[in-house]
Amino acid sequence: MTRLPLATLATAAVLAIAASAAAGLAPRPASTPIDLLETPAPQSPRAASQLMNSLVHAGPRMVAAGARGTIVHSDDDGHSWIQAEVPVAVMLTALHFPTPELGWAVGHDGVILHSRDGGAHWQRQFDGDQANTQMLAWAKARVSQARLALQQAGEAERAAAEDRLADAEDVLAGAEQTVAFGPSQPFMSVWFRNPREGYAVGAFGMAFATTDGGEHWTLFADRLPNPEALHLYAIASPSPNVLLIAGERGLILRSTDSGQHWQAEPDLAEGGLYGLITAPQDGAVLAYGFDGIVLRSTDLGASWQTLDSGTRSALYGAATAGDELLLIGNNGARLRLNGHRFDPLPAGDGRPLTTAAHGARGWILAGWGGLAHDSAAASGATRHE
């Protein structure tokens, strides 16, 4: 069974522990467990200084989410931040607002949250217990199907059928272990096509979709060619009918029919691909991640070429502003796309960066240490897309 790589800064559980310790909240002994899914995010005057994993626009408002269930929003271009009311205290990993009012957040313990007021208040729609129930049922059905296929396989197909059964049994063992442990697996990315159709993907191949604005979330991992249940780090749509998922071991999954059928491009990189973004200048899609890897596609993910990023630092986040694209990552890495190459920018204080957005006052970067305007990434860009 695969494991979450520690290099995945934005979603590694070790950072949730470290962030708590830095705030004077050392992990509690095992004898006094706290259910973070039932614990509201603690209110703090330093909420915007928490580890932040996602920063997005909700119309003119900016919204950020991160450690301990913290979500903050700003209506003055990041000059000041107001902490939202959030019903959970788990690490949050990603945000998406298909409209200025309607937004979704995902995170650890399989949580999916929803806001109807631009991120000021949040309600829980889904969690890891519900995810585990669906994942376990799917894993059991997959093993049954694989056993039947092996029984019916001819001599020529037997070896492949045995391999498929072994993969299915590994996934089932992992699902059973997860259920026994509790709602522990994180979602890592969320994307909505419109206010009703959305997707959330995460660790160990978790993949769920909704067609009713999140009132019901149903498994779609069964549609994905991901037999080893590799971690899924990001989902994005570079064109109306095309969906891309980036994952562990350089995996790219691609659908050209709005998620009904998928094809896999495995092993495009040695490590994980943590994010996807469309370049504003030419519409090329970039996938980025571990060890500074950057892949580029000019055909909506059908084929990929490697770009030299000029860094070995893991890249965790990306954002655009006008014609500019910025990649950020470990060791304070900041890279500005310049044609087919990257110009490095000063690394500031060297703290890891996970997410960015552009406003009227320039770039706002976030990660370890929270949210801050950044002069090192200053540019002439005047609008955010």
Side-chain angles (χ1 to χ4, degrees), residues 293-330:
I293 186 70
V294 179
L295 305 177
R296 181 175 184 267
S297 174
T298 58
D299 52 13
L300 300 176
S303 61
W304 298 85
Q305 301 79 42
T306 301
L307 296 184
D308 183 5
S309 70
T311 184
R312 298 296 296 275
S313 294
L315 299 171
Y316 302 125
T320 60
D323 289 335
E324 185 174 0
L325 185 150
L326 188 71
L327 287 175
I328 57 174
N330 206 18

Side-chain angles (χ1 to χ4, degrees), residues 10-11 51-58 61-67 69-74 81 84-86 91-99 101-107 111-115 118-123 187-192 199-201 233-236 276 318 354-357 366 371:
T11 53
L51 168 66
M52 292 293 172
N53 296 320
S54 186
L55 172 62
V56 300
H57 284 270
R61 172 174 286 181
M62 287 184 174
V63 185
T70 302
I71 297 180
V72 295
H73 56 87
S74 175
W81 296 89
E85 296 181 13
V86 179
M91 174 78 81
L92 299 176
T93 56
L95 292 161
H96 188 243
F97 281 78
T99 75
E101 295 80 21
L102 300 178
W104 279 265
V106 298
V111 74
I112 300 178
L113 306 175
H114 179 44
S115 175
H121 301 84
W122 295 82
Q123 300 80 42
F187 281 114
M188 300 184 188
S189 184
V190 60
W191 178 80
F192 269 73
Y199 303 83
V201 299
Y233 295 125
I235 184 167
L276 296 157
T354 59
T355 185
L371 296 144

Side-chain angles (χ1 to χ4, degrees), residues 61-298:
R61 172 174 286 181
M62 287 184 174
V63 185
R68 302 164 66 210
T70 302
I71 297 180
V72 295
H73 56 87
S74 175
D75 294 322
D76 57 9
D77 200 40
H79 179 72
S80 61
W81 296 89
I82 299 171
Q83 186 173 2
E85 296 181 13
V86 179
V88 299
V90 301
M91 174 78 81
L92 299 176
T93 56
L95 292 161
H96 188 243
F97 281 78
T99 75
E101 295 80 21
L102 300 178
W104 279 265
V106 298
H108 285 210
D109 289 7
V111 74
I112 300 178
L113 306 175
H114 179 44
S115 175
R116 295 180 176 274
D117 57 6
H121 301 84
W122 295 82
Q123 300 80 42
R124 188 171 71 190
Q125 284 190 334
F126 193 73
D127 60 40
D129 286 322
Q130 296 163 284
N132 284 348
T133 297
Q134 294 191 45
M135 291 289 285
L136 181 60
W138 165 63
K140 288 180 177 179
R142 184 178 164 190
V143 168
S144 297
Q145 293 166 0
R147 285 174 178 162
L148 179 60
L150 178 59
Q151 293 172 3
Q152 297 174 343
E155 192 62 31
E157 298 86 19
R158 188 170 185 81
E162 289 174 343
D163 288 342
R164 286 192 291 270
L165 176 58
D167 285 342
E169 289 175 336
D170 284 345
V171 171
L172 175 57
E176 289 173 336
Q177 189 176 42
T178 295
V179 170
F181 191 73
S184 58
Q185 307 300 350
F187 281 114
M188 300 184 188
S189 184
V190 60
W191 178 80
F192 269 73
R193 186 188 314 278
N194 55 51
R196 297 189 64 80
E197 299 176 63
Y199 303 83
V201 299
F204 299 103
M206 282 206 309
F208 288 82
T210 181
T211 58
D212 56 13
E215 291 186 24
H216 301 88
W217 288 89
T218 57
L219 186 78
F220 80 96
D222 55 345
R223 301 182 208 164
L224 301 180
N226 183 21
E228 296 181 78
L230 299 179
H231 305 320
L232 306 176
Y233 295 125
I235 184 167
S237 177
S239 75
N241 296 318
V242 176
L243 280 171
L244 300 175
I245 297 175
E248 188 180 9
R249 299 186 202 165
L251 175 68
I252 294 284
L253 301 173
R254 180 174 184 257
S255 172
T256 58
D257 57 6
S258 301
Q260 295 302 308
H261 302 88
W262 295 81
Q263 304 82 42
E265 289 287 342
D267 303 320
L268 291 172
E270 292 186 2
L273 296 171
Y274 303 148
L276 296 157
I277 194 166
T278 300
Q281 290 186 333
D282 60 5
V285 181
L286 301 185
Y288 54 87
F290 179 74
D291 207 29
I293 186 70
V294 179
L295 305 177
R296 181 175 184 267
S297 174
T298 58

